[in-house]
Amino acid sequence: MAKLKFSEKTDGVCIHCRFTGSETLNEAEYRYFTDNRIKGWLTPRFSAPDKIEYTGAQGVPLINVLKHGVDKELYYRIVAELLTIMDTAASCGFNMPNIVLDPNFITFDTERKEIWLFYLPIWYNENTNDGIVNCLRRISTYAEYKSKEDFHSVDGFMNFICRADGFTVGEAMEYIRREAPDAVPAPKTAARPAASQPSARPEFSRPEAARVAEQPRQAAPQNTAQAIINEINRGSQEFMHTEEPKLPEPKVIPSLTEERPSAVPELKKRDIPRPAVKYPTLTRRATGVTVNIDKPVFRIGKERDRVDFCVTENRTVSRLHATIYTRNGSCFVEDNNSTNRTYINGTPVLPDREIKLKSGDVLKLSDEEFDFIDG
């Protein structure tokens, strides 16, 4: 598993990556990112046989911004940028598991309110990400919210994201526009200019073929991925695509061409009927109160306005002590860095790690015990 380290320098961030195990450099993918400077992506530099350094932006780790406190406007702006970058990466045919989606290593530019990702151009990648949905779950869990209204808005959005029939990027963007109109621009409608007027630059929302056809006569892009990169960079002088490289064009492997696009499964909406659900339950032994775990993100703690199961009359339980995630019919518990820890059958649960719950397990928050029964 590749080892990562985030450092801040006067001229921008630098993320150090050291390969371990069977990981080796994929030169074609590496050349792809060094030959193209793309907005939203850090640039790799091969510094040693087993090291890559990523640079190209000012900023701090996204996790720092989340823990410092965000309102819903900033939260939705971060999410909208992340979804846009990931959607473009999928359409370019990137190998999606090679994109690092850990909030500790996503760069956030505090001045421009932009995020930057980076791509691991390696073979046999053992450090695969958990997908965009799990990344959004971590962002939402780590964040400290400036008001109850902000928290409830984000909670509703995450229930929408984690629903059984999935979601599309377009649906998520419409949801964000309703909750925070300033976080993402309204969709634009392209109009063809009159013949006497100069030819206008086509909008990004138009079909790819139409955009390419209306561009000034230039050397044709090598592939669809390159055309999308040029469109992303268009209109921003700082990230304008450079001239044709003087070096021979590197061989682009199939995972970075339009021939074998690698989609993000979690972004594909599936029209399937919802089966009748019998929810798992959690029973507090001290009071005998039983509740259904009827949400994909189910929070437990003593702060009534932030949790789904409020543990009263126990000062040793943290405000947001633990979270139970429901996924593919199974439940997983995660300790939210609580003061007095979380246990399953007496075994401590390490912070920020998910442990699967089985029917009959005893879940203990500090000294408060609960019986878990699978639905």
PDB file of all heavy atoms in Angstrom, residues 49-84:
ATOM      1  N   PRO A  49      13.292   5.969  -7.677  1.00  0.00           N
ATOM      2  CA  PRO A  49      12.678   4.751  -8.227  1.00  0.00           C
ATOM      3  C   PRO A  49      11.375   4.348  -7.561  1.00  0.00           C
ATOM      4  O   PRO A  49      10.534   3.706  -8.185  1.00  0.00           O
ATOM      5  CB  PRO A  49      13.762   3.692  -8.008  1.00  0.00           C
ATOM      6  CG  PRO A  49      15.037   4.459  -8.008  1.00  0.00           C
ATOM      7  CD  PRO A  49      14.715   5.773  -7.372  1.00  0.00           C
ATOM      8  N   ASP A  50      11.193   4.729  -6.296  1.00  0.00           N
ATOM      9  CA  ASP A  50       9.964   4.349  -5.600  1.00  0.00           C
ATOM     10  C   ASP A  50       9.214   5.551  -5.043  1.00  0.00           C
ATOM     11  O   ASP A  50       8.409   5.420  -4.130  1.00  0.00           O
ATOM     12  CB  ASP A  50      10.284   3.382  -4.460  1.00  0.00           C
ATOM     13  CG  ASP A  50      11.195   3.999  -3.416  1.00  0.00           C
ATOM     14  OD1 ASP A  50      11.820   5.047  -3.712  1.00  0.00           O
ATOM     15  OD2 ASP A  50      11.311   3.456  -2.306  1.00  0.00           O
ATOM     16  N   LYS A  51       9.459   6.753  -5.603  1.00  0.00           N
ATOM     17  CA  LYS A  51       8.841   7.965  -5.062  1.00  0.00           C
ATOM     18  C   LYS A  51       8.257   8.837  -6.167  1.00  0.00           C
ATOM     19  O   LYS A  51       8.835   8.969  -7.238  1.00  0.00           O
ATOM     20  CB  LYS A  51       9.854   8.799  -4.271  1.00  0.00           C
ATOM     21  CG  LYS A  51      10.316   8.191  -2.972  1.00  0.00           C
ATOM     22  CD  LYS A  51      11.272   9.148  -2.273  1.00  0.00           C
ATOM     23  CE  LYS A  51      11.803   8.568  -0.969  1.00  0.00           C
ATOM     24  NZ  LYS A  51      12.769   9.486  -0.336  1.00  0.00           N
ATOM     25  N   ILE A  52       7.111   9.447  -5.866  1.00  0.00           N
ATOM     26  CA  ILE A  52       6.522  10.490  -6.700  1.00  0.00           C
ATOM     27  C   ILE A  52       6.141  11.655  -5.788  1.00  0.00           C
ATOM     28  O   ILE A  52       5.646  11.453  -4.685  1.00  0.00           O
ATOM     29  CB  ILE A  52       5.266   9.990  -7.449  1.00  0.00           C
ATOM     30  CG1 ILE A  52       5.645   8.988  -8.532  1.00  0.00           C
ATOM     31  CG2 ILE A  52       4.520  11.143  -8.094  1.00  0.00           C
ATOM     32  CD1 ILE A  52       4.463   8.497  -9.338  1.00  0.00           C
ATOM     33  N   GLU A  53       6.384  12.883  -6.250  1.00  0.00           N
ATOM     34  CA  GLU A  53       5.947  14.078  -5.536  1.00  0.00           C
ATOM     35  C   GLU A  53       4.895  14.795  -6.379  1.00  0.00           C
ATOM     36  O   GLU A  53       5.053  14.920  -7.598  1.00  0.00           O
ATOM     37  CB  GLU A  53       7.130  15.006  -5.260  1.00  0.00           C
ATOM     38  CG  GLU A  53       8.142  14.437  -4.287  1.00  0.00           C
ATOM     39  CD  GLU A  53       9.280  15.401  -3.999  1.00  0.00           C
ATOM     40  OE1 GLU A  53       9.362  16.427  -4.719  1.00  0.00           O
ATOM     41  OE2 GLU A  53      10.075  15.128  -3.088  1.00  0.00           O
ATOM     42  N   TYR A  54       3.832  15.273  -5.727  1.00  0.00           N
ATOM     43  CA  TYR A  54       2.743  15.969  -6.406  1.00  0.00           C
ATOM     44  C   TYR A  54       2.736  17.435  -5.981  1.00  0.00           C
ATOM     45  O   TYR A  54       2.745  17.743  -4.781  1.00  0.00           O
ATOM     46  CB  TYR A  54       1.397  15.336  -6.052  1.00  0.00           C
ATOM     47  CG  TYR A  54       1.215  13.937  -6.605  1.00  0.00           C
ATOM     48  CD1 TYR A  54       1.665  12.834  -5.904  1.00  0.00           C
ATOM     49  CD2 TYR A  54       0.600  13.740  -7.834  1.00  0.00           C
ATOM     50  CE1 TYR A  54       1.495  11.553  -6.411  1.00  0.00           C
ATOM     51  CE2 TYR A  54       0.429  12.460  -8.347  1.00  0.00           C
ATOM     52  CZ  TYR A  54       0.875  11.372  -7.636  1.00  0.00           C
ATOM     53  OH  TYR A  54       0.711  10.114  -8.137  1.00  0.00           O
ATOM     54  N   THR A  55       2.710  18.342  -6.962  1.00  0.00           N
ATOM     55  CA  THR A  55       2.682  19.781  -6.691  1.00  0.00           C
ATOM     56  C   THR A  55       1.706  20.446  -7.649  1.00  0.00           C
ATOM     57  O   THR A  55       1.147  19.802  -8.540  1.00  0.00           O
ATOM     58  CB  THR A  55       4.087  20.390  -6.862  1.00  0.00           C
ATOM     59  OG1 THR A  55       4.548  20.111  -8.210  1.00  0.00           O
ATOM     60  CG2 THR A  55       5.083  19.792  -5.879  1.00  0.00           C
ATOM     61  N   GLY A  56       1.537  21.773  -7.458  1.00  0.00           N
ATOM     62  CA  GLY A  56       0.726  22.513  -8.405  1.00  0.00           C
ATOM     63  C   GLY A  56      -0.368  23.361  -7.826  1.00  0.00           C
ATOM     64  O   GLY A  56      -1.178  23.906  -8.573  1.00  0.00           O
ATOM     65  N   ALA A  57      -0.458  23.466  -6.491  1.00  0.00           N
ATOM     66  CA  ALA A  57      -1.547  24.266  -5.916  1.00  0.00           C
ATOM     67  C   ALA A  57      -1.157  24.767  -4.540  1.00  0.00           C
ATOM     68  O   ALA A  57      -0.340  24.159  -3.837  1.00  0.00           O
ATOM     69  CB  ALA A  57      -2.826  23.447  -5.822  1.00  0.00           C
ATOM     70  N   GLN A  58      -1.719  25.901  -4.165  1.00  0.00           N
ATOM     71  CA  GLN A  58      -1.644  26.395  -2.797  1.00  0.00           C
ATOM     72  C   GLN A  58      -2.806  25.800  -2.019  1.00  0.00           C
ATOM     73  O   GLN A  58      -3.883  25.598  -2.574  1.00  0.00           O
ATOM     74  CB  GLN A  58      -1.745  27.926  -2.774  1.00  0.00           C
ATOM     75  CG  GLN A  58      -0.595  28.647  -3.452  1.00  0.00           C
ATOM     76  CD  GLN A  58       0.627  28.740  -2.559  1.00  0.00           C
ATOM     77  OE1 GLN A  58       0.585  28.352  -1.395  1.00  0.00           O
ATOM     78  NE2 GLN A  58       1.725  29.248  -3.103  1.00  0.00           N
ATOM     79  N   GLY A  59      -2.599  25.516  -0.733  1.00  0.00           N
ATOM     80  CA  GLY A  59      -3.727  25.030   0.036  1.00  0.00           C
ATOM     81  C   GLY A  59      -3.342  24.256   1.269  1.00  0.00           C
ATOM     82  O   GLY A  59      -2.170  24.195   1.658  1.00  0.00           O
ATOM     83  N   VAL A  60      -4.349  23.649   1.871  1.00  0.00           N
ATOM     84  CA  VAL A  60      -4.200  22.860   3.091  1.00  0.00           C
ATOM     85  C   VAL A  60      -4.988  21.575   2.911  1.00  0.00           C
ATOM     86  O   VAL A  60      -5.824  21.471   2.005  1.00  0.00           O
ATOM     87  CB  VAL A  60      -4.723  23.639   4.324  1.00  0.00           C
ATOM     88  CG1 VAL A  60      -3.937  24.922   4.545  1.00  0.00           C
ATOM     89  CG2 VAL A  60      -6.214  23.952   4.168  1.00  0.00           C
ATOM     90  N   PRO A  61      -4.761  20.566   3.761  1.00  0.00           N
ATOM     91  CA  PRO A  61      -5.584  19.351   3.665  1.00  0.00           C
ATOM     92  C   PRO A  61      -7.061  19.669   3.898  1.00  0.00           C
ATOM     93  O   PRO A  61      -7.397  20.459   4.794  1.00  0.00           O
ATOM     94  CB  PRO A  61      -5.013  18.453   4.766  1.00  0.00           C
ATOM     95  CG  PRO A  61      -3.631  18.940   5.003  1.00  0.00           C
ATOM     96  CD  PRO A  61      -3.684  20.425   4.762  1.00  0.00           C
ATOM     97  N   LEU A  62      -7.931  19.069   3.133  1.00  0.00           N
ATOM     98  CA  LEU A  62      -9.367  19.313   3.275  1.00  0.00           C
ATOM     99  C   LEU A  62      -9.852  18.985   4.679  1.00  0.00           C
ATOM    100  O   LEU A  62     -10.752  19.658   5.198  1.00  0.00           O
ATOM    101  CB  LEU A  62     -10.131  18.480   2.240  1.00  0.00           C
ATOM    102  CG  LEU A  62     -11.656  18.566   2.285  1.00  0.00           C
ATOM    103  CD1 LEU A  62     -12.127  19.990   2.047  1.00  0.00           C
ATOM    104  CD2 LEU A  62     -12.277  17.620   1.267  1.00  0.00           C
ATOM    105  N   ILE A  63      -9.265  17.972   5.319  1.00  0.00           N
ATOM    106  CA  ILE A  63      -9.683  17.578   6.662  1.00  0.00           C
ATOM    107  C   ILE A  63      -9.553  18.740   7.643  1.00  0.00           C
ATOM    108  O   ILE A  63     -10.375  18.908   8.552  1.00  0.00           O
ATOM    109  CB  ILE A  63      -8.870  16.345   7.146  1.00  0.00           C
ATOM    110  CG1 ILE A  63      -9.472  15.772   8.419  1.00  0.00           C
ATOM    111  CG2 ILE A  63      -7.416  16.689   7.325  1.00  0.00           C
ATOM    112  CD1 ILE A  63     -10.749  15.048   8.229  1.00  0.00           C
ATOM    113  N   ASN A  64      -8.512  19.583   7.473  1.00  0.00           N
ATOM    114  CA  ASN A  64      -8.315  20.736   8.362  1.00  0.00           C
ATOM    115  C   ASN A  64      -9.453  21.733   8.227  1.00  0.00           C
ATOM    116  O   ASN A  64      -9.930  22.301   9.216  1.00  0.00           O
ATOM    117  CB  ASN A  64      -6.983  21.423   8.057  1.00  0.00           C
ATOM    118  CG  ASN A  64      -5.783  20.552   8.378  1.00  0.00           C
ATOM    119  OD1 ASN A  64      -5.932  19.416   8.816  1.00  0.00           O
ATOM    120  ND2 ASN A  64      -4.591  21.060   8.152  1.00  0.00           N
ATOM    121  N   VAL A  65      -9.894  21.954   6.998  1.00  0.00           N
ATOM    122  CA  VAL A  65     -10.992  22.891   6.743  1.00  0.00           C
ATOM    123  C   VAL A  65     -12.284  22.370   7.362  1.00  0.00           C
ATOM    124  O   VAL A  65     -13.034  23.116   8.001  1.00  0.00           O
ATOM    125  CB  VAL A  65     -11.165  23.110   5.228  1.00  0.00           C
ATOM    126  CG1 VAL A  65     -12.345  24.038   4.946  1.00  0.00           C
ATOM    127  CG2 VAL A  65      -9.882  23.667   4.626  1.00  0.00           C
ATOM    128  N   LEU A  66     -12.535  21.076   7.202  1.00  0.00           N
ATOM    129  CA  LEU A  66     -13.764  20.482   7.733  1.00  0.00           C
ATOM    130  C   LEU A  66     -13.820  20.583   9.251  1.00  0.00           C
ATOM    131  O   LEU A  66     -14.858  20.926   9.828  1.00  0.00           O
ATOM    132  CB  LEU A  66     -13.860  19.020   7.302  1.00  0.00           C
ATOM    133  CG  LEU A  66     -13.935  18.757   5.796  1.00  0.00           C
ATOM    134  CD1 LEU A  66     -13.849  17.269   5.519  1.00  0.00           C
ATOM    135  CD2 LEU A  66     -15.204  19.344   5.195  1.00  0.00           C
ATOM    136  N   LYS A  67     -12.712  20.280   9.914  1.00  0.00           N
ATOM    137  CA  LYS A  67     -12.694  20.287  11.379  1.00  0.00           C
ATOM    138  C   LYS A  67     -12.691  21.700  11.953  1.00  0.00           C
ATOM    139  O   LYS A  67     -13.055  21.897  13.121  1.00  0.00           O
ATOM    140  CB  LYS A  67     -11.484  19.499  11.882  1.00  0.00           C
ATOM    141  CG  LYS A  67     -11.603  17.998  11.619  1.00  0.00           C
ATOM    142  CD  LYS A  67     -10.467  17.209  12.250  1.00  0.00           C
ATOM    143  CE  LYS A  67     -10.695  15.715  12.079  1.00  0.00           C
ATOM    144  NZ  LYS A  67      -9.622  14.902  12.700  1.00  0.00           N
ATOM    145  N   HIS A  68     -12.275  22.674  11.149  1.00  0.00           N
ATOM    146  CA  HIS A  68     -12.299  24.064  11.606  1.00  0.00           C
ATOM    147  C   HIS A  68     -13.716  24.621  11.637  1.00  0.00           C
ATOM    148  O   HIS A  68     -14.017  25.553  12.380  1.00  0.00           O
ATOM    149  CB  HIS A  68     -11.418  24.919  10.697  1.00  0.00           C
ATOM    150  CG  HIS A  68     -11.311  26.350  11.130  1.00  0.00           C
ATOM    151  ND1 HIS A  68     -10.630  26.735  12.268  1.00  0.00           N
ATOM    152  CD2 HIS A  68     -11.825  27.485  10.594  1.00  0.00           C
ATOM    153  CE1 HIS A  68     -10.714  28.051  12.399  1.00  0.00           C
ATOM    154  NE2 HIS A  68     -11.442  28.525  11.403  1.00  0.00           N
ATOM    155  N   GLY A  69     -14.600  24.029  10.841  1.00  0.00           N
ATOM    156  CA  GLY A  69     -16.000  24.476  10.829  1.00  0.00           C
ATOM    157  C   GLY A  69     -16.427  24.973   9.460  1.00  0.00           C
ATOM    158  O   GLY A  69     -15.733  25.808   8.860  1.00  0.00           O
ATOM    159  N   VAL A  70     -17.551  24.453   8.948  1.00  0.00           N
ATOM    160  CA  VAL A  70     -18.060  24.870   7.646  1.00  0.00           C
ATOM    161  C   VAL A  70     -19.555  25.141   7.748  1.00  0.00           C
ATOM    162  O   VAL A  70     -20.246  24.583   8.596  1.00  0.00           O
ATOM    163  CB  VAL A  70     -17.814  23.778   6.575  1.00  0.00           C
ATOM    164  CG1 VAL A  70     -16.335  23.542   6.351  1.00  0.00           C
ATOM    165  CG2 VAL A  70     -18.506  22.463   6.948  1.00  0.00           C
ATOM    166  N   ASP A  71     -20.030  26.036   6.885  1.00  0.00           N
ATOM    167  CA  ASP A  71     -21.474  26.204   6.736  1.00  0.00           C
ATOM    168  C   ASP A  71     -21.912  25.418   5.501  1.00  0.00           C
ATOM    169  O   ASP A  71     -21.087  24.841   4.788  1.00  0.00           O
ATOM    170  CB  ASP A  71     -21.861  27.682   6.620  1.00  0.00           C
ATOM    171  CG  ASP A  71     -21.128  28.393   5.486  1.00  0.00           C
ATOM    172  OD1 ASP A  71     -20.637  27.698   4.564  1.00  0.00           O
ATOM    173  OD2 ASP A  71     -21.039  29.626   5.514  1.00  0.00           O
ATOM    174  N   LYS A  72     -23.205  25.388   5.251  1.00  0.00           N
ATOM    175  CA  LYS A  72     -23.679  24.551   4.147  1.00  0.00           C
ATOM    176  C   LYS A  72     -23.229  25.086   2.792  1.00  0.00           C
ATOM    177  O   LYS A  72     -23.048  24.300   1.842  1.00  0.00           O
ATOM    178  CB  LYS A  72     -25.190  24.390   4.201  1.00  0.00           C
ATOM    179  CG  LYS A  72     -26.003  25.638   3.894  1.00  0.00           C
ATOM    180  CD  LYS A  72     -27.497  25.310   3.901  1.00  0.00           C
ATOM    181  CE  LYS A  72     -28.341  26.505   3.504  1.00  0.00           C
ATOM    182  NZ  LYS A  72     -29.787  26.197   3.490  1.00  0.00           N
ATOM    183  N   GLU A  73     -23.020  26.403   2.672  1.00  0.00           N
ATOM    184  CA  GLU A  73     -22.566  26.962   1.406  1.00  0.00           C
ATOM    185  C   GLU A  73     -21.194  26.406   1.040  1.00  0.00           C
ATOM    186  O   GLU A  73     -20.967  25.953  -0.083  1.00  0.00           O
ATOM    187  CB  GLU A  73     -22.511  28.493   1.497  1.00  0.00           C
ATOM    188  CG  GLU A  73     -23.838  29.173   1.781  1.00  0.00           C
ATOM    189  CD  GLU A  73     -24.787  29.091   0.602  1.00  0.00           C
ATOM    190  OE1 GLU A  73     -24.305  28.960  -0.547  1.00  0.00           O
ATOM    191  OE2 GLU A  73     -26.011  29.145   0.823  1.00  0.00           O
ATOM    192  N   LEU A  74     -20.253  26.429   2.002  1.00  0.00           N
ATOM    193  CA  LEU A  74     -18.912  25.921   1.738  1.00  0.00           C
ATOM    194  C   LEU A  74     -18.937  24.406   1.544  1.00  0.00           C
ATOM    195  O   LEU A  74     -18.265  23.871   0.658  1.00  0.00           O
ATOM    196  CB  LEU A  74     -17.971  26.297   2.883  1.00  0.00           C
ATOM    197  CG  LEU A  74     -16.518  25.821   2.750  1.00  0.00           C
ATOM    198  CD1 LEU A  74     -15.913  26.299   1.441  1.00  0.00           C
ATOM    199  CD2 LEU A  74     -15.685  26.291   3.934  1.00  0.00           C
ATOM    200  N   TYR A  75     -19.725  23.702   2.363  1.00  0.00           N
ATOM    201  CA  TYR A  75     -19.821  22.244   2.224  1.00  0.00           C
ATOM    202  C   TYR A  75     -20.293  21.863   0.819  1.00  0.00           C
ATOM    203  O   TYR A  75     -19.685  21.016   0.151  1.00  0.00           O
ATOM    204  CB  TYR A  75     -20.784  21.683   3.269  1.00  0.00           C
ATOM    205  CG  TYR A  75     -21.135  20.235   3.030  1.00  0.00           C
ATOM    206  CD1 TYR A  75     -20.326  19.216   3.517  1.00  0.00           C
ATOM    207  CD2 TYR A  75     -22.268  19.882   2.297  1.00  0.00           C
ATOM    208  CE1 TYR A  75     -20.640  17.875   3.275  1.00  0.00           C
ATOM    209  CE2 TYR A  75     -22.588  18.553   2.058  1.00  0.00           C
ATOM    210  CZ  TYR A  75     -21.776  17.556   2.550  1.00  0.00           C
ATOM    211  OH  TYR A  75     -22.082  16.253   2.298  1.00  0.00           O
ATOM    212  N   TYR A  76     -21.366  22.493   0.349  1.00  0.00           N
ATOM    213  CA  TYR A  76     -21.906  22.132  -0.955  1.00  0.00           C
ATOM    214  C   TYR A  76     -20.976  22.547  -2.090  1.00  0.00           C
ATOM    215  O   TYR A  76     -20.927  21.890  -3.135  1.00  0.00           O
ATOM    216  CB  TYR A  76     -23.285  22.751  -1.147  1.00  0.00           C
ATOM    217  CG  TYR A  76     -24.373  22.038  -0.383  1.00  0.00           C
ATOM    218  CD1 TYR A  76     -25.175  22.710   0.533  1.00  0.00           C
ATOM    219  CD2 TYR A  76     -24.594  20.677  -0.577  1.00  0.00           C
ATOM    220  CE1 TYR A  76     -26.173  22.048   1.233  1.00  0.00           C
ATOM    221  CE2 TYR A  76     -25.590  20.011   0.118  1.00  0.00           C
ATOM    222  CZ  TYR A  76     -26.374  20.692   1.018  1.00  0.00           C
ATOM    223  OH  TYR A  76     -27.354  20.029   1.713  1.00  0.00           O
ATOM    224  N   ARG A  77     -20.223  23.620  -1.893  1.00  0.00           N
ATOM    225  CA  ARG A  77     -19.262  24.012  -2.934  1.00  0.00           C
ATOM    226  C   ARG A  77     -18.163  22.962  -3.058  1.00  0.00           C
ATOM    227  O   ARG A  77     -17.758  22.599  -4.164  1.00  0.00           O
ATOM    228  CB  ARG A  77     -18.654  25.372  -2.601  1.00  0.00           C
ATOM    229  CG  ARG A  77     -17.655  25.858  -3.640  1.00  0.00           C
ATOM    230  CD  ARG A  77     -17.379  27.325  -3.531  1.00  0.00           C
ATOM    231  NE  ARG A  77     -16.476  27.772  -4.573  1.00  0.00           N
ATOM    232  CZ  ARG A  77     -16.189  29.045  -4.813  1.00  0.00           C
ATOM    233  NH1 ARG A  77     -16.778  29.993  -4.099  1.00  0.00           N
ATOM    234  NH2 ARG A  77     -15.350  29.374  -5.774  1.00  0.00           N
ATOM    235  N   ILE A  78     -17.683  22.455  -1.919  1.00  0.00           N
ATOM    236  CA  ILE A  78     -16.667  21.398  -1.927  1.00  0.00           C
ATOM    237  C   ILE A  78     -17.222  20.154  -2.625  1.00  0.00           C
ATOM    238  O   ILE A  78     -16.567  19.563  -3.489  1.00  0.00           O
ATOM    239  CB  ILE A  78     -16.224  21.069  -0.492  1.00  0.00           C
ATOM    240  CG1 ILE A  78     -15.435  22.246   0.103  1.00  0.00           C
ATOM    241  CG2 ILE A  78     -15.383  19.792  -0.454  1.00  0.00           C
ATOM    242  CD1 ILE A  78     -15.165  22.107   1.587  1.00  0.00           C
ATOM    243  N   VAL A  79     -18.437  19.748  -2.262  1.00  0.00           N
ATOM    244  CA  VAL A  79     -19.034  18.540  -2.841  1.00  0.00           C
ATOM    245  C   VAL A  79     -19.265  18.707  -4.335  1.00  0.00           C
ATOM    246  O   VAL A  79     -18.995  17.798  -5.131  1.00  0.00           O
ATOM    247  CB  VAL A  79     -20.346  18.200  -2.123  1.00  0.00           C
ATOM    248  CG1 VAL A  79     -21.094  17.098  -2.859  1.00  0.00           C
ATOM    249  CG2 VAL A  79     -20.069  17.774  -0.683  1.00  0.00           C
ATOM    250  N   ALA A  80     -19.749  19.884  -4.750  1.00  0.00           N
ATOM    251  CA  ALA A  80     -20.013  20.112  -6.171  1.00  0.00           C
ATOM    252  C   ALA A  80     -18.727  20.025  -6.988  1.00  0.00           C
ATOM    253  O   ALA A  80     -18.707  19.429  -8.072  1.00  0.00           O
ATOM    254  CB  ALA A  80     -20.680  21.478  -6.360  1.00  0.00           C
ATOM    255  N   GLU A  81     -17.633  20.603  -6.482  1.00  0.00           N
ATOM    256  CA  GLU A  81     -16.357  20.532  -7.197  1.00  0.00           C
ATOM    257  C   GLU A  81     -15.866  19.096  -7.277  1.00  0.00           C
ATOM    258  O   GLU A  81     -15.366  18.646  -8.307  1.00  0.00           O
ATOM    259  CB  GLU A  81     -15.315  21.416  -6.507  1.00  0.00           C
ATOM    260  CG  GLU A  81     -15.493  22.886  -6.761  1.00  0.00           C
ATOM    261  CD  GLU A  81     -14.155  23.615  -6.858  1.00  0.00           C
ATOM    262  OE1 GLU A  81     -13.113  22.947  -6.958  1.00  0.00           O
ATOM    263  OE2 GLU A  81     -14.167  24.839  -6.830  1.00  0.00           O
ATOM    264  N   LEU A  82     -16.001  18.370  -6.169  1.00  0.00           N
ATOM    265  CA  LEU A  82     -15.546  16.977  -6.146  1.00  0.00           C
ATOM    266  C   LEU A  82     -16.320  16.138  -7.161  1.00  0.00           C
ATOM    267  O   LEU A  82     -15.733  15.361  -7.922  1.00  0.00           O
ATOM    268  CB  LEU A  82     -15.702  16.410  -4.738  1.00  0.00           C
ATOM    269  CG  LEU A  82     -15.278  14.947  -4.543  1.00  0.00           C
ATOM    270  CD1 LEU A  82     -13.806  14.768  -4.854  1.00  0.00           C
ATOM    271  CD2 LEU A  82     -15.581  14.501  -3.112  1.00  0.00           C
ATOM    272  N   LEU A  83     -17.638  16.273  -7.188  1.00  0.00           N
ATOM    273  CA  LEU A  83     -18.453  15.504  -8.128  1.00  0.00           C
ATOM    274  C   LEU A  83     -18.129  15.863  -9.572  1.00  0.00           C
ATOM    275  O   LEU A  83     -18.080  14.995 -10.448  1.00  0.00           O
ATOM    276  CB  LEU A  83     -19.936  15.740  -7.848  1.00  0.00           C
ATOM    277  CG  LEU A  83     -20.497  15.123  -6.568  1.00  0.00           C
ATOM    278  CD1 LEU A  83     -21.943  15.553  -6.367  1.00  0.00           C
ATOM    279  CD2 LEU A  83     -20.401  13.617  -6.602  1.00  0.00           C
ATOM    280  N   THR A  84     -17.891  17.148  -9.838  1.00  0.00           N
ATOM    281  CA  THR A  84     -17.569  17.577 -11.205  1.00  0.00           C
ATOM    282  C   THR A  84     -16.251  16.967 -11.669  1.00  0.00           C
ATOM    283  O   THR A  84     -16.142  16.459 -12.788  1.00  0.00           O
ATOM    284  CB  THR A  84     -17.490  19.111 -11.265  1.00  0.00           C
ATOM    285  OG1 THR A  84     -18.756  19.671 -10.895  1.00  0.00           O
ATOM    286  CG2 THR A  84     -17.142  19.573 -12.666  1.00  0.00           C
TER     287      THR A  84
END
